[in-house]
Amino acid sequence: MGRIKSALFLFLVFIIYSGTAFGFQEQQPQPRDSNLLTNPQRAVHTFLHWQQAGHKNPDYVIQTMKMAEGDKELKAELASRLLKILDARGLLINYDEIPSNPNYTDSLSGLQQYILFPSLPEIYLTKTAQNEWVFSESTVQSIPELYANTFSSWFTFLVDNLPDWAYNEWFGIMIWQYLAVFIWLLVGLILMKIFVFFLDNYVRRLAEKTKISWDDDLIDGVEKPSAYIFLLTFYFLTYSNLQFSVSISHFLSITLEIALSVTVVWLFYNLSEVFSKYLGVLTSKTETELDNQLIPLIRKTLRFFVIVMGVIAILQNNGYNVASLIAGLGIGGLAVALAARETLANFFGSITIFMDRPFKIGDWIKVGNVEGTVEEVGFRSTRVRTFYNSLVSVPNSNIANTDIDNLGLRKYRRLKTVLNLTYSTTPEQMEAFVEGIKAIVKANKHFRQEMYEVHFNSFGAHSLDVLVYVFFDVPDWSTELQQRHNFLLEVLRLAKEVGVEFAFPTQTLHMDSFHQEEPRKVGEERTEEELASTVYEFGPDGKKGQPDGIRIFRAGEEVDFGAEK
């Protein structure tokens, strides 16, 4: 309510200022002439000038109504009504635009006639056989109908029967007009509330009963703009009843027309959002991801189109020649193209992305130094949500010319690690540990079953090294982390059951005493013959050699969890 009161106050201040500061449809009076109808400009001046307060002359005015049938009083009444129509509709007359050529010919019709306002083609002047410019016969005949369309009959009856004090002026405006403005604004707001009530309690309830959801989005999108369209349409259709001077009426006409156009643009802007949501519902049912990526572009294109067309319509309705304006932009077209070459490069980069489809929304990608999840692909840039939750906008031209590592398209996710066991591990424990890891891989459906490697790989500086090379078959990074967690826990439990320990870098310092005659013996003593025999036994056909590895058995059956080839 505070905003409404402020708006009412500012509106009344403007009306007061307009009533005192703005002039009537009158410029400097032209010199009087024996013939006041020699050209269109003189005829319009005669019609307007001699109806203004201070120098009214009905005898001059009715000369412009020679085509009307009836006496002087009827012609004067028609002239008075026509002036009220022009003033109430805010139709300002610019004398400089009216031709002063006595032989003026309309370029479209080829007739000697002049239309005062393109928005009101019923009102025009025509040249008579006596070489006089007067209002045409059709104009004179249409005045009663135009008057009825401009002013409400019951409101006119009410104004004509007001007490005398209501016609007193304050700052150039009658008291009844102040009261009418207040009632006019109040009635408009009440009607808008009724309109919103109807939408919320009838239309919205019908939409809630349906199984589809887009009609609810439609009601949400159109409720506010349609309410203001209803309000402004009421004001636009009824402001002429206030019977203000032409300057105030002109201001009201322009303001209401622009405001109404803006709310219509607002309505279509919201409808484009509803349409985009509806397309999103349809594309979510398809298997391809390309249409999902197109939705943000379609939404932005529709928004841009609605705004541009709205601006063009507003300019066109307010007398601007949009065609010449657009043509004038061609003069600086080259400079604009040079300045916007990066924008154009990004635009074509976006086309390349949609044609090649190197990634889709939700993919984990790495482009240059940027790594994260794709959130949106626009005309100018692609937005990537990094893993520290920042949002990076990468120009599409850079993406089109850069190597893209799409980690989201990986079918399998590799895990390569080396497990370090202590040197106290026996060969049998080592074999059991390696086969146990293979068994863990086999038991987990989230591993790639036909490709994995687990082997005793090397003797390290401080440990016996087991290479683990496996692949997770998971859809995303979060699932990969969970399965890696599960796998390493299983390995830890396996190590405990087998009895092996994990090594870590250590240094062992041996404290020994020095013997005077013999050094301390390390290891077991073997004769040369025994050593040579051991070498042969580990060689070809040796009894101790196991070139295919140690095998462990359970109930007489070999334990082997090798990968399926």
Side-chain angles (χ1 to χ4, degrees), residues 81 84 147 151-163 167 176 241 243:
R81 287 195 170 194
K84 286 183 178 180
Y147 190 84
F151 304 104
S152 172
S153 58
W154 67 268
F155 190 81
T156 302
F157 175 80
L158 179 64
V159 171
D160 291 341
N161 291 277
L162 290 174
Y167 296 97
W176 74 264
N241 288 290
Q243 300 181 21

Short mmCIF file of all heavy atoms in Angstrom, two decimals, residues 81 84 147 151-163 167 176 241 243:
data_model
loop_
_atom_site.label_atom_id
_atom_site.label_comp_id
_atom_site.label_asym_id
_atom_site.label_seq_id
_atom_site.Cartn_x
_atom_site.Cartn_y
_atom_site.Cartn_z
N ARG A 81 -16.81 18.81 -30.03
CA ARG A 81 -16.65 17.39 -29.70
C ARG A 81 -15.38 16.82 -30.32
O ARG A 81 -14.69 16.00 -29.68
CB ARG A 81 -17.87 16.61 -30.19
CG ARG A 81 -19.12 16.84 -29.35
CD ARG A 81 -20.16 15.79 -29.64
NE ARG A 81 -21.28 15.85 -28.69
CZ ARG A 81 -22.19 14.91 -28.53
NH1 ARG A 81 -22.12 13.81 -29.30
NH2 ARG A 81 -23.15 15.02 -27.65
N LYS A 84 -12.50 17.83 -28.19
CA LYS A 84 -12.46 17.02 -26.97
C LYS A 84 -11.90 15.62 -27.23
O LYS A 84 -11.17 15.07 -26.41
CB LYS A 84 -13.87 16.91 -26.37
CG LYS A 84 -14.36 18.19 -25.70
CD LYS A 84 -15.72 17.96 -25.07
CE LYS A 84 -16.22 19.21 -24.36
NZ LYS A 84 -17.55 19.00 -23.73
N TYR A 147 -16.91 10.08 -30.53
CA TYR A 147 -17.15 10.68 -29.21
C TYR A 147 -17.69 9.63 -28.25
O TYR A 147 -17.28 9.56 -27.09
CB TYR A 147 -18.13 11.84 -29.36
CG TYR A 147 -18.27 12.67 -28.10
CD1 TYR A 147 -17.38 13.69 -27.81
CD2 TYR A 147 -19.31 12.42 -27.21
CE1 TYR A 147 -17.52 14.46 -26.66
CE2 TYR A 147 -19.46 13.17 -26.05
CZ TYR A 147 -18.56 14.19 -25.79
OH TYR A 147 -18.69 14.94 -24.64
N PHE A 151 -15.64 8.61 -24.78
CA PHE A 151 -16.18 8.94 -23.46
C PHE A 151 -17.34 8.01 -23.14
O PHE A 151 -18.21 7.77 -23.99
CB PHE A 151 -16.66 10.39 -23.40
CG PHE A 151 -15.60 11.39 -23.77
CD1 PHE A 151 -15.64 12.02 -25.02
CD2 PHE A 151 -14.59 11.71 -22.90
CE1 PHE A 151 -14.67 12.94 -25.37
CE2 PHE A 151 -13.62 12.63 -23.25
CZ PHE A 151 -13.65 13.24 -24.49
N SER A 152 -17.35 7.50 -21.90
CA SER A 152 -18.45 6.67 -21.44
C SER A 152 -19.69 7.53 -21.28
O SER A 152 -19.64 8.63 -20.71
CB SER A 152 -18.09 6.01 -20.12
OG SER A 152 -19.19 5.36 -19.57
N SER A 153 -20.83 7.05 -21.78
CA SER A 153 -22.06 7.84 -21.74
C SER A 153 -22.53 8.09 -20.32
O SER A 153 -22.92 9.22 -19.98
CB SER A 153 -23.15 7.12 -22.54
OG SER A 153 -23.38 5.82 -22.02
N TRP A 154 -22.46 7.06 -19.47
CA TRP A 154 -22.91 7.27 -18.09
C TRP A 154 -21.96 8.17 -17.33
O TRP A 154 -22.38 8.96 -16.47
CB TRP A 154 -23.08 5.93 -17.37
CG TRP A 154 -21.79 5.18 -17.13
CD1 TRP A 154 -21.23 4.25 -17.92
CD2 TRP A 154 -20.94 5.35 -16.00
NE1 TRP A 154 -20.04 3.80 -17.38
CE2 TRP A 154 -19.84 4.47 -16.18
CE3 TRP A 154 -20.96 6.14 -14.86
CZ2 TRP A 154 -18.80 4.36 -15.28
CZ3 TRP A 154 -19.91 6.04 -13.94
CH2 TRP A 154 -18.84 5.16 -14.15
N PHE A 155 -20.66 8.07 -17.63
CA PHE A 155 -19.70 8.95 -16.95
C PHE A 155 -19.89 10.39 -17.42
O PHE A 155 -19.81 11.33 -16.61
CB PHE A 155 -18.27 8.47 -17.25
CG PHE A 155 -17.22 9.16 -16.42
CD1 PHE A 155 -16.96 8.76 -15.14
CD2 PHE A 155 -16.51 10.24 -16.94
CE1 PHE A 155 -16.00 9.40 -14.37
CE2 PHE A 155 -15.54 10.88 -16.18
CZ PHE A 155 -15.29 10.45 -14.89
N THR A 156 -20.16 10.59 -18.71
CA THR A 156 -20.41 11.94 -19.22
C THR A 156 -21.67 12.52 -18.59
O THR A 156 -21.71 13.71 -18.23
CB THR A 156 -20.57 11.89 -20.75
OG1 THR A 156 -19.39 11.33 -21.33
CG2 THR A 156 -20.78 13.28 -21.32
N PHE A 157 -22.71 11.70 -18.46
CA PHE A 157 -23.94 12.15 -17.80
C PHE A 157 -23.67 12.56 -16.36
O PHE A 157 -24.19 13.57 -15.87
CB PHE A 157 -24.98 11.04 -17.86
CG PHE A 157 -26.25 11.35 -17.12
CD1 PHE A 157 -27.23 12.16 -17.69
CD2 PHE A 157 -26.46 10.83 -15.84
CE1 PHE A 157 -28.40 12.45 -16.99
CE2 PHE A 157 -27.62 11.12 -15.15
CZ PHE A 157 -28.60 11.94 -15.73
N LEU A 158 -22.82 11.77 -15.66
CA LEU A 158 -22.50 12.09 -14.27
C LEU A 158 -21.73 13.40 -14.17
O LEU A 158 -22.02 14.25 -13.31
CB LEU A 158 -21.69 10.94 -13.66
CG LEU A 158 -21.24 11.11 -12.19
CD1 LEU A 158 -22.46 11.17 -11.28
CD2 LEU A 158 -20.33 9.95 -11.78
N VAL A 159 -20.77 13.61 -15.06
CA VAL A 159 -19.97 14.83 -15.03
C VAL A 159 -20.84 16.05 -15.36
O VAL A 159 -20.69 17.12 -14.74
CB VAL A 159 -18.79 14.72 -16.02
CG1 VAL A 159 -18.07 16.06 -16.16
CG2 VAL A 159 -17.82 13.65 -15.56
N ASP A 160 -21.77 15.90 -16.29
CA ASP A 160 -22.61 17.03 -16.68
C ASP A 160 -23.58 17.44 -15.57
O ASP A 160 -24.11 18.57 -15.59
CB ASP A 160 -23.42 16.67 -17.94
CG ASP A 160 -22.52 16.55 -19.17
OD1 ASP A 160 -21.39 17.09 -19.13
OD2 ASP A 160 -22.93 15.89 -20.15
N ASN A 161 -23.83 16.56 -14.62
CA ASN A 161 -24.79 16.86 -13.56
C ASN A 161 -24.13 17.06 -12.20
O ASN A 161 -24.79 16.97 -11.16
CB ASN A 161 -25.82 15.72 -13.46
CG ASN A 161 -26.75 15.67 -14.66
OD1 ASN A 161 -27.73 16.39 -14.73
ND2 ASN A 161 -26.39 14.83 -15.64
N LEU A 162 -22.83 17.33 -12.18
CA LEU A 162 -22.14 17.62 -10.93
C LEU A 162 -22.48 19.02 -10.45
O LEU A 162 -22.83 19.90 -11.25
CB LEU A 162 -20.63 17.49 -11.15
CG LEU A 162 -20.07 16.09 -11.37
CD1 LEU A 162 -18.58 16.15 -11.72
CD2 LEU A 162 -20.29 15.21 -10.15
N PRO A 163 -22.36 19.26 -9.15
CA PRO A 163 -22.61 20.62 -8.64
C PRO A 163 -21.55 21.60 -9.16
O PRO A 163 -20.48 21.21 -9.62
CB PRO A 163 -22.53 20.44 -7.12
CG PRO A 163 -21.77 19.18 -6.92
CD PRO A 163 -22.08 18.30 -8.08
N TYR A 167 -16.60 22.09 -10.56
CA TYR A 167 -15.94 22.61 -11.76
C TYR A 167 -14.91 23.69 -11.43
O TYR A 167 -14.28 24.23 -12.35
CB TYR A 167 -17.00 23.18 -12.72
CG TYR A 167 -17.94 22.13 -13.25
CD1 TYR A 167 -19.20 21.93 -12.67
CD2 TYR A 167 -17.59 21.32 -14.33
CE1 TYR A 167 -20.06 20.95 -13.14
CE2 TYR A 167 -18.45 20.35 -14.81
CZ TYR A 167 -19.69 20.17 -14.21
OH TYR A 167 -20.54 19.21 -14.68
N TRP A 176 -13.37 17.93 -9.80
CA TRP A 176 -13.93 16.61 -10.09
C TRP A 176 -12.91 15.70 -10.76
O TRP A 176 -12.98 14.47 -10.62
CB TRP A 176 -15.18 16.75 -10.97
CG TRP A 176 -14.94 17.09 -12.41
CD1 TRP A 176 -14.97 18.32 -12.97
CD2 TRP A 176 -14.62 16.16 -13.47
NE1 TRP A 176 -14.69 18.25 -14.31
CE2 TRP A 176 -14.48 16.93 -14.64
CE3 TRP A 176 -14.45 14.79 -13.54
CZ2 TRP A 176 -14.17 16.36 -15.87
CZ3 TRP A 176 -14.15 14.22 -14.75
CH2 TRP A 176 -14.01 14.99 -15.91
N ASN A 241 -11.75 9.34 -20.28
CA ASN A 241 -12.89 9.86 -19.54
C ASN A 241 -12.50 10.93 -18.53
O ASN A 241 -13.36 11.69 -18.07
CB ASN A 241 -13.62 8.72 -18.82
CG ASN A 241 -14.38 7.82 -19.77
OD1 ASN A 241 -15.38 8.20 -20.34
ND2 ASN A 241 -13.87 6.60 -19.94
N GLN A 243 -10.78 13.48 -19.20
CA GLN A 243 -10.92 14.74 -19.93
C GLN A 243 -9.85 15.77 -19.54
O GLN A 243 -10.13 16.95 -19.35
CB GLN A 243 -12.32 15.33 -19.73
CG GLN A 243 -13.43 14.41 -20.20
CD GLN A 243 -14.80 14.99 -20.03
OE1 GLN A 243 -14.96 16.21 -19.90
NE2 GLN A 243 -15.82 14.14 -20.02
#
